[in-house]
């Protein structure tokens, strides 16, 4: 599939910390197969933070969603079963010194844009936290 064609993948994951590694490795494979290896390192970091937050801070299942939109935008998102908004990210300098609560500060620092929205999935309420990377 050429880079100029849109595509999307979803990975449904249980509430299990091992899902973070599964998600990261799955994302690496997807991007490699689509010829987007130049985005892998940053995309893996972003997906790790989003999925880790979904698994650590909620009690239900979660999902990783990866979408490519030509001419060059990669969107990475994590759905979780908690409809409450995520904690606003702290400035990166402050968050880097803490043991916990660094995830969204890293996302904000490394992604071109990020956000969240309430979302219903298969009859369950929750939220979708996403970020985008440009392939330029």
């Amino acid at each position: 599939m050429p880079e100029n064609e849109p595509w999307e993948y979803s990975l449904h994951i249980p509430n299990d910390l091992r899902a973070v590694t599964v998600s990261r490795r799955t994302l690496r494979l997807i991007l490699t197969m689509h010829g987007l290896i130049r985005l892998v390192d940053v995309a893996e970091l972003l997906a790790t933070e989003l999925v880790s937050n979904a698994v650590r801070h909620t009690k239900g299942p979660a999902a990783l969603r990866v979408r490519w939109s030509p001419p060059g935008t990669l969107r990475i998102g994590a759905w979780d079963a908690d409809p409450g908004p995520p904690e606003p990210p702290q400035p990166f300098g402050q968050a880097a010194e803490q043991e916990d609560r660094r995830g969204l500060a890293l996302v904000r620092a490394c992604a071109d844009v990020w956000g969240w929205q309430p979302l219903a999935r298969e009859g369950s309420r929750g939220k979708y936290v996403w970020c985008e990377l440009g392939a330029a």
Side-chain angles (χ1 to χ4, degrees):
M1 183 175 289
E3 250 184 73
N4 59 359
E5 296 290 325
W7 49 260
E8 183 174 318
Y9 292 86
S10 293
L11 176 64
H12 301 273
I13 55 178
N15 190 283
D16 182 335
L17 284 175
R18 293 173 290 195
V20 176
T21 301
V22 170
S23 297
R24 185 174 59 244
R25 290 182 180 170
T26 301
L27 176 64
R28 176 175 281 276
L29 180 60
I30 291 167
L31 295 178
T32 300
M33 296 303 295
H34 282 281
L36 297 169
I37 194 75
R38 65 192 177 279
L39 298 178
V40 167
D41 291 336
V42 174
E44 276 186 326
L45 172 68
L46 296 170
T48 297
E49 296 304 331
L50 294 175
V51 172
S52 179
N53 284 347
V55 171
R56 283 184 157 163
H57 302 296
T58 67
K59 295 184 183 194
L64 171 68
R65 193 163 114 190
V66 183
R67 183 177 76 202
W68 173 256
S69 300
T73 302
L74 181 69
R75 178 176 276 205
I76 303 164
W79 172 86
D80 66 53
D82 181 356
E87 295 262 337
Q90 298 177 353
F92 187 71
Q94 290 176 1
E97 298 171 7
Q98 294 181 340
E99 184 89 12
D100 204 5
R101 297 186 47 183
R102 290 181 285 196
L104 285 181
L106 280 170
V107 170
R108 184 174 69 182
C110 296
D112 295 331
V113 64
W114 79 278
W116 79 278
Q117 62 199 59
L119 189 68
R121 182 177 155 263
E122 297 177 6
S124 299
R125 292 182 41 210
K127 69 178 164 297
Y128 180 64
V129 182
W130 56 268
C131 63
E132 290 183 350
L133 285 175

